[in-house]
């Protein structure tokens, strides 16, 4: 394979892989992969691709599955075996995503998370260590190979029909909606003053803008809008960082774990809400048997109705800030800082510093239940389990609700169209209570 087009990216897998290749060249006393040296590195890869292929080491699934630790990670993509241990810390999607699939076939999840897999070959090549032995199946033997093949054929058909191509006009209108609402809130305060009725009204406008901005950055984070990854990432940083005041990298690392292991406890961070909530059928029983009682989980569905309002303004914001500074996401820190500066310039003249902070908290207080219901309630009623090593297609179908489509539902959910069910937390609380009362203390 040769790379005719110069890969571009702003924090994409391509850029990270070029840095990785550059580091390898520097270790050998050669120039790093930047400028002409970057072209040389790519040309070297192309030249090697044109040479007769050397025979690769072959491995059985039993051998591969032994490399599933955080310090020793192998995975399989299209029957090729890759050692990603040294790459994990540089992986743009976060190290945990790779660790979750260590020792497994990752073909379908890799394809789902990388819209243009050909570009990622620069990333994959240095990590290739072998391939599956000829007698080994494409996936682990416990997976439904026929179902996997049917799903892969379906995806190829949909790609041929161009059903994955985004309509840029639609996303332009989505972004325009957010920007207009943000601007309208300022114009109303400027014209009518900062009375209580005006403040409540603009808080509602800003809440809609924040929620819709969150749905929009979700699609950008999945590289679903533009064909080039760098434009998706740049726009996600603008929407998530500047408009919402949250770290895009932190959100991506968390959200990608949710998608690769949906409803798998504790790998999916969206279903690991302890110690505040216990959900599903397994976690409540575990907590009950071990006499774990941070709160009275039997009544957690009632606490949730109140606590859901502080999820965004407190938990989400604190976690985002913690990750930004702990991992030194300097670019995200700059984007988030610009968000707070914009709020100060816009609203401090009318509300003062304290009043502006209260306004920001109020908006996130109102946004929190909206976003939480939309993003959580489509998965919480579905099957939750420990790792069962099922095929990709099965895990996604079993962990996601079907939702009836409507114009309002499309808009309200940001076209995620989640079905909301209200009894899941109450059921989990009842399971905890039964296990807590029927098992002796350990």
């Amino acid at each position: 394979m040769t790379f005719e087009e110069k890969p571009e990216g702003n924090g994409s897998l391509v850029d990270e892989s070029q840095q990785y290749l550059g580091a390898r060249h520097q270790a050998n006393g050669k120039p790093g992969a930047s400028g002409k040296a970057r072209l040389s590195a790519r040309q070297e890869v192309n030249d090697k691709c044109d040479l007769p292929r050397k025979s690769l080491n072959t491995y059985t699934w039993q051998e591969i599955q032994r490399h599933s630790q955080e310090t020793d990670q192998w995975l399989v993509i299209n029957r090729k075996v890759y050692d990603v241990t040294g790459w994990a810390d540089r992986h743009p999607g976060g190290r945990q995503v790779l660790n979750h699939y260590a020792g497994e076939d990752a073909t379908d999840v890799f394809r789902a998370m990388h819209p243009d897999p050909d570009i990622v070959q620069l990333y994959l090549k240095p990590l290739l260590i072998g391939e599956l032995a000829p007698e080994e199946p494409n996936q682990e033997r416990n997976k439904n190979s026929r179902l996997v093949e049917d799903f892969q054929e379906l995806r190829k058909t949909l790609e041929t029909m161009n059903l994955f191509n985004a309509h840029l006009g639609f996303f332009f209108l989505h972004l325009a909606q957010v920007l207009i609402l943000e601007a309208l809130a300022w114009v109303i305060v400027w014209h009518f003053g900062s009375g209580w009725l005006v403040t409540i009204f603009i808080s509602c406008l800003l809440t809609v803008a924040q929620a819709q901005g969150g749905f929009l950055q979700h699609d950008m984070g999945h590289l679903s809008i533009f064909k080039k990854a760098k434009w998706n990432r740049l726009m996600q940083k603008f929407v998530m960082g500047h408009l919402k005041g949250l770290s895009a990298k932190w959100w991506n690392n968390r959200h990608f774990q949710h998608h690769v292991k949906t409803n798998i406890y504790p790998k999916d961070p969206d279903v690991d809400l302890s110690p505040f909530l216990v959900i599903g059928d397994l976690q409540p029983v575990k907590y009950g048997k071990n006499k774990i009682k941070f709160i009275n989980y039997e009544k957690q569905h009632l606490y949730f109705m109140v606590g859901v309002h502080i999820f965004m303004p407190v938990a989400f914001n604190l976690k985002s800030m913690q990750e930004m500074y702990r991992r030194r996401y300097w670019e995200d820190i700059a984007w988030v800082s610009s968000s707070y500066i914009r709020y100060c310039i816009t609203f401090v003249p009318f509300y003062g510093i304290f009043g502006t902070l209260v306004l920001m908290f109020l908006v996130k207080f109102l946004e929190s239940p909206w976003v939480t219901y939309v993003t959580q309630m489509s998965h919480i009623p579905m099957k939750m389990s420990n790792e069962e090593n099922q095929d990709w297609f099965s895990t996604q179908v079993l962990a996601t609700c079907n939702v009836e489509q409507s114009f309002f539902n499309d808009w309200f959910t940001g076209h995620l169209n989640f079905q909301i069910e209200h009894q899941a937390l109450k059921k989990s609380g009842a399971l905890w209570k039964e296990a807590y009362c029927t098992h002796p203390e350990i």
Side-chain angles (χ1 to χ4, degrees), residues 241-246 313 317-318 320-321 324 333-348 356-357 360-361 364:
H242 181 68
L243 296 183
K244 290 188 61 62
L246 295 170
N317 276 270
L318 289 179
S320 171
M321 290 181 180
M324 280 193 300
I333 290 173
W335 280 108
V336 171
S337 298
S338 74
S339 176
Y340 284 91
I341 292 172
R342 175 176 59 88
Y343 255 88
C344 288
I345 294 174
T346 306
F347 294 109
V348 165
T356 300
L357 292 176
M360 295 172 67
F361 182 89
K364 293 185 181 297

Side-chain angles (χ1 to χ4, degrees), residues 52-63:
R53 286 185 60 186
K54 296 179 180 180
S55 59
L56 295 171
N57 294 331
T58 59
Y59 300 96
T60 64
W61 276 114
Q62 186 177 9
E63 292 174 307

Side-chain angles (χ1 to χ4, degrees), residues 62-339:
Q62 186 177 9
E63 292 174 307
I64 293 168
Q65 288 168 343
R66 287 199 289 264
H67 300 270
S68 59
Q69 306 302 316
E70 192 156 342
T71 56
D72 183 17
Q73 305 178 41
W74 292 9
L75 52 79
V76 176
I77 301 172
N78 292 321
R79 295 190 62 85
K80 297 294 188 293
V81 182
Y82 299 92
D83 182 352
V84 299
T85 309
W87 168 256
D89 285 331
R90 292 186 293 271
H91 182 228
R95 66 173 296 113
Q96 289 298 331
V97 174
L98 298 180
N99 183 241
H100 290 342
Y101 265 87
E104 301 180 26
D105 174 63
T107 301
D108 288 330
V109 66
F110 173 82
R111 187 67 187 89
M113 303 304 289
H114 301 92
D116 192 348
D118 291 337
I119 289 293
V120 196
Q121 291 303 316
L122 278 174
Y123 149 69
L124 288 175
K125 188 164 182 65
L127 311 178
L128 179 65
I129 60 171
E131 60 187 356
L132 287 173
E135 67 274 11
E136 291 292 319
N138 293 341
Q139 303 85 28
E140 300 93 308
R141 287 183 171 82
N142 62 295
K143 293 182 178 179
N144 188 332
S145 59
R146 179 62 183 273
L147 186 61
V148 172
E149 292 170 3
D150 287 348
F151 170 71
Q152 292 174 349
E153 188 62 35
L154 173 63
R155 182 181 181 93
K156 291 178 182 178
T157 301
L158 297 178
E159 289 174 337
T160 302
M161 298 170 64
N162 295 322
L163 293 183
F164 291 102
N165 291 349
H167 192 292
L168 293 181
F170 165 80
F171 288 103
F172 172 80
L173 292 176
H174 197 159
L175 177 60
Q177 168 196 208
V178 175
L179 297 177
I180 290 172
L181 288 172
E182 292 271 354
L184 184 59
W186 177 82
V187 169
I188 290 174
V189 174
W190 174 76
H191 186 75
F192 294 101
S194 55
W196 279 106
L197 289 178
V198 170
T199 301
I200 293 173
F201 183 66
I202 68 163
S203 296
C204 294
L205 294 181
L206 292 173
T207 297
V208 175
Q210 288 290 299
Q212 292 296 326
F215 300 142
L216 179 59
Q217 71 83 29
H218 169 270
D219 292 338
M220 293 168 175
H222 281 291
L223 311 181
S224 302
I225 300 178
F226 302 99
K227 292 185 178 180
K228 290 187 178 293
K230 70 173 185 178
W231 294 116
N232 285 291
R233 297 191 187 282
L234 177 61
M235 290 304 299
Q236 185 194 23
K237 289 171 183 175
F238 170 73
V239 175
M240 191 63 160
H242 181 68
L243 296 183
K244 290 188 61 62
L246 295 170
S247 167
K249 281 189 177 180
W250 160 76
W251 186 87
N252 285 340
N253 291 349
R254 175 189 174 92
H255 190 65
F256 294 162
Q257 291 182 67
H258 160 69
H259 274 294
V260 302
K261 290 293 182 180
T262 308
N263 278 19
I264 303 298
Y265 177 80
K267 295 182 177 180
D268 180 357
D270 284 6
V271 298
D272 185 10
L273 303 177
S274 59
F276 305 107
L277 299 172
V278 289
I279 56 179
D281 295 339
L282 300 178
Q283 189 183 13
V285 175
K286 174 185 174 182
Y287 269 47
K289 287 181 177 179
N290 290 286
K291 302 299 180 182
I292 301 174
K293 186 180 180 181
F294 291 98
I295 63 171
N296 182 0
Y297 293 111
E298 187 182 17
K299 300 186 182 302
Q300 64 177 356
H301 58 292
L302 301 177
Y303 305 147
F304 176 77
M305 301 303 293
V306 177
V308 68
H309 287 278
I310 65 172
F311 179 69
M312 288 290 290
V314 179
F316 242 49
N317 276 270
L318 289 179
K319 192 63 176 177
S320 171
M321 290 181 180
Q322 178 189 14
E323 285 293 295
M324 280 193 300
Y325 285 98
R326 186 170 70 90
R327 298 187 178 275
R328 299 179 180 178
Y329 295 155
W330 301 119
E331 189 176 359
D332 279 12
I333 290 173
W335 280 108
V336 171
S337 298
S338 74
S339 176

